[in-house]
Every structure is written in C-alpha cells, then in structure tokens.
C-alpha cells in the first residue's frame, strides 16, 4: 500500500511538473511576444518623432514662404497704388492741357 501511495505521489508530482513546465513555456512565449511588441512600439515612437521633426521643418518652410508671399503681395499693392496715383495725376494733367489748349485756340 505504501509503494502504491509512493507511485501515485511520483505520478502526481511528474504530472504537476509537466503542467508547470507547460505553463512556464507559455509564460516565456508570452513574455517574448511582449518584448517584441515593446521593441516594435519603441521603433514606432522613434519613427513618429522623426516624422514630427520633418513636418515641423516643412511647416517652418511653409510659414517662411507664406510670409515672403504676403510681403511680396503688399509690395505689389503699394506699387499698384502708386501707379494708380500716377495715372490719376497724368489724367488730371492731360485734362489741364486740353483746357489750356482750348483757351488758346
């Protein structure tokens, strides 16, 4: 009876050992997957930071181009206003000449 109890105990301990070994393997595999996922996430974070830096640089370039364009537009509007003023002055001068010629005719 004692031998049978010892055999049952050995079988039970062997079975428990196999179960624990399987559980340990599953935990190890899950941990490996988690570490791989973490590395993948870290790589994505690095790439995202690089992408953000590039976009910020591009945004700065666009802002600079926009400022230059706005300045150019302001200069063109000022030039146009001066030209319109010159045209008005020339028209007034022409009318004045026409009136002077009419007086002397």
């Amino acid at each position: 009876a004692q031998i049978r109890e010892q055999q049952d105990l050995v079988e039970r301990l062997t079975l428990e050992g196999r179960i624990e070994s399987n559980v340990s393997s599953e935990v190890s595999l899950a941990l490996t997957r988690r570490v791989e996922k973490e590395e993948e996430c870290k790589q994505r974070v690095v790439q995202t930071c690089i992408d953000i830096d590039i976009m910020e640089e591009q945004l700065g370039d666009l802002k600079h181009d926009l400022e230059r364009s706005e300045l150019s537009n302001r200069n063109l509007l000022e030039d146009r206003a001066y030209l319109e003023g010159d045209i008005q002055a020339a028209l007034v001068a022409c009318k004045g000449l026409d009136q002077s010629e009419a007086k002397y005719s």
Side-chain angles (χ1 to χ4, degrees):
Q2 189 177 10
I3 293 178
R4 184 66 192 150
E5 286 177 16
Q6 289 176 346
Q7 286 175 338
D8 288 345
L9 180 62
V10 168
E11 286 178 17
R12 188 171 49 92
L13 291 174
T14 301
L15 181 59
E16 287 176 7
R18 286 183 188 153
I19 291 170
E20 288 178 14
S21 178
N22 288 341
V23 168
S24 176
S25 294
E26 288 175 14
V27 168
S28 177
L29 184 60
L31 181 60
T32 300
R33 278 191 236 130
R34 294 266 176 148
V35 168
E36 289 170 355
K37 292 265 185 201
E38 184 178 347
E39 281 302 313
E40 186 180 312
C41 287
K42 284 179 183 177
Q43 290 173 0
R44 277 195 227 146
V45 167
V46 168
Q47 186 60 49
T48 299
C49 289
I50 291 170
D51 293 345
I52 288 171
D53 288 344
I54 290 170
M55 286 189 285
E56 285 176 342
E57 185 177 332
Q58 290 173 341
L59 183 60
D61 292 345
L62 287 172
K63 183 179 176 187
H64 176 73
D65 291 347
L66 180 61
E67 289 169 353
R68 245 186 22 225
S69 178
E70 288 174 345
L71 178 61
S72 177
N73 284 341
R74 278 195 301 274
N75 290 338
L76 287 172
L77 289 173
E78 289 173 4
D79 290 347
R80 181 178 178 179
Y82 287 126
L83 287 174
E84 287 176 356
D86 290 347
I87 291 170
Q88 289 298 321
L91 287 173
V92 168
C94 285
K95 284 183 182 179
L97 286 176
D98 287 344
Q99 290 174 357
S100 295
E101 288 177 7
K103 283 184 184 177
Y104 293 113
S105 301

